[in-house]
Amino acid sequence: MRRDLEQAKAELERRYAASLAKKTRRSAAIRKAGTVCILLLSFTLLTVGVAIRTPEGQTTLPGIESSAADLENSKIPESSSEEPAETSRPVQMSGSKNLMAGITPMSVTKRKPDNAFITSQMDFAVKLLQQSLKKDGGKGALVSPLSAQLCLAMVANGADGETLAELEKVLGGDLSLEQLNAYLSAYAESLPSTEKTKLLINNAIWFKEGYPIYTDFLQTNANYYGADLYQAPFGKDTLEADLREINDWVNTNTDGMIPKLFDRLEKNTVMVLINTLLFDGSWETAYADEDVVNGTFYSYSGKEQTVEMMCSTESVYFADENAKGFLKYYDGKDYAFAAILPEQGTDILEYVNSLNGASLQSLLAKQYKTAVDVGLPKFKFEYSMNLKPILSDMGMPTAFLEDAANFSKMSSRLLHIGQAVQKTAIELSPTGTKAAAATGVVMGDECESPSVLLNRPFVYMILDTKTNLPLFIGVMTEM
């Protein structure tokens, strides 16, 4: 290892933004990582006519006019612990009307992350990564647990019965939807966004013109997630234009990192729910030109690949009997890049499948300060996955079944999830993280300083340093 290490060593323009409840600031950071999670809801129409039967206490919006007038304007109070920050709104689709103008977020009870929430989220993150690897195996994977959680939580607010129970179990374990809303909203709002380390979160809902949708469903998603609501034709002759506008919205809110989310929309599409997550962080300590040298990455397929290895000495190391790793901080230390290298000879897929939320939490908690020599390869990685089979295997198949899904809190019509997709992209460079790949090289001291040379398959994360929860978690197997 030491020999390898010695050889190795030799505007953004100001964005339209997130939501009223989100704190963002102007950013000059030049590195970013973007994800998007989407669900398309399709319906089976069993009644024809203009009369709409609704559950007691529900207000139905059959179109734009009524959607903007049913609720009083009120302003969500700003947290007294935070400085006022500049907020902005995502770019509106050119052919759509933003209907949330009349649905202002109201003050609701929110919960700061605690052990119950962190445990449930870490479990979800590990299971999502494990399921995604079943599809692509040795090709690697990159998922955003937070993006998936926020999108699916919006959907869950329209669910009931067995559909809701399954969503609750998958997303929060023993947490109820009410608890999950309170936790997720508070957690998303608590994530810092600064000039050099920016995190932008956007949520939006599109629904078909004239389609009945309950204001309670919209109000809940406005209260907790600041979701914008748009109306689109979703007609036979407009689907291509609708698709183009939705993809443009995603492209804008991921700063071009996810330029095209969907290839098509089905003719039975009546609702689209989207979350986008954009991370743009500069390293606390950037790499100088002389810190980047040629190195070798030994891929999962057995190939020896030449890479640009970024060499540094970091200050946080962790290890257990199965793996070792390090943290490399972004500016401000609110976020860090974490890499985990299994012991030599351990199959990376077997290692990931051996993990659970508790074991990953335990490993990340074993951090201690020491000089750790790191070799981190420059890499770029893009990933796309169909969430439908993954979420079904994780325990929520009912939401995808036409004859069984229950979204009766969303609309009087029968809805089911017709499509669920997530795409991710990451790039590591000498100045920060954009949406690329990074391989960590840990340089060892002549003494007993630990080292982590990421020259073979490894697990990596961008995590929130207060909770150790991953915003992104992936596996690198090929450069």
Side-chain angles (χ1 to χ4, degrees), residues 33-52:
T35 66
V36 59
C37 174
I38 307 192
L39 296 136
L40 282 111
L41 296 179
S42 303
F43 78 108
T44 303
L45 182 60
L46 299 183
T47 60
V48 178
V50 294
I52 301 173

Side-chain angles (χ1 to χ4, degrees), residues 31 258 291 417 419:
R31 298 301 178 211
I258 311 293
D291 296 329
I417 297 176
Q419 191 178 155

Side-chain angles (χ1 to χ4, degrees), residues 262-332:
F262 291 110
D263 293 324
R264 69 185 187 281
L265 293 176
E266 302 297 340
K267 61 183 179 181
N268 64 344
T269 298
V270 297
M271 188 179 295
V272 179
L273 299 94
I274 301 178
N275 164 268
T276 60
L277 178 64
L278 178 68
F279 178 81
D280 186 342
S282 299
W283 297 124
E284 181 182 50
T285 303
Y287 294 93
D289 290 344
E290 57 268 25
D291 296 329
V292 184
V293 299
N294 288 333
T296 301
F297 182 82
Y298 301 93
S299 73
Y300 187 76
S301 63
K303 298 176 183 176
E304 294 187 10
Q305 299 172 303
T306 300
V307 297
E308 292 182 87
M309 195 71 76
M310 302 183 293
C311 303
S312 63
T313 299
E314 304 303 333
S315 61
V316 178
Y317 177 78
F318 54 85
D320 61 15
E321 63 276 13
N322 300 313
K324 58 185 177 179
F326 66 91
L327 297 186
K328 180 173 178 61
Y329 288 111
Y330 295 100
D331 186 84

Side-chain angles (χ1 to χ4, degrees), residues 93-226:
M93 289 168 41
S94 60
S96 303
K97 239 182 180 180
N98 188 344
L99 307 182
M100 280 297 189
I103 300 181
T104 303
M106 296 178 178
S107 179
V108 290
T109 301
K110 300 182 181 182
R111 295 189 177 195
K112 292 183 179 180
D114 56 18
N115 287 336
F117 173 74
I118 293 171
T119 297
S120 72
Q121 297 306 289
M122 196 68 85
D123 281 339
F124 178 82
V126 171
K127 289 175 182 177
L128 187 63
L129 179 63
Q130 290 170 336
Q131 290 294 329
S132 67
L133 280 173
K134 284 184 179 181
K135 181 187 75 168
D136 290 308
K139 295 181 180 179
L142 175 64
V143 301
S144 174
L146 179 57
S147 180
Q149 281 276 348
L150 293 171
C151 186
L152 290 168
M154 290 196 297
V155 175
N157 283 316
D160 205 356
E162 184 179 2
T163 303
L164 174 58
E166 289 178 355
L167 276 159
E168 287 178 324
K169 189 66 177 176
V170 168
L171 298 179
D174 295 329
L175 299 178
S176 68
L177 178 59
E178 289 74 18
Q179 292 173 318
L180 194 62
N181 281 330
Y183 278 126
L184 280 172
S185 180
Y187 179 60
E189 288 179 4
S190 73
L191 293 170
S193 185
T194 67
E195 183 178 355
K196 291 187 177 180
T197 305
K198 177 163 57 175
L199 182 69
L200 297 178
I201 300 172
N202 286 302
N203 298 300
I205 301 170
W206 282 263
F207 81 98
K208 188 174 183 176
E209 288 178 355
Y211 193 80
I213 185 168
Y214 295 137
T215 54
D216 285 352
F217 166 72
L218 302 178
Q219 186 67 61
T220 299
N221 283 324
N223 292 345
Y224 289 104
Y225 304 111

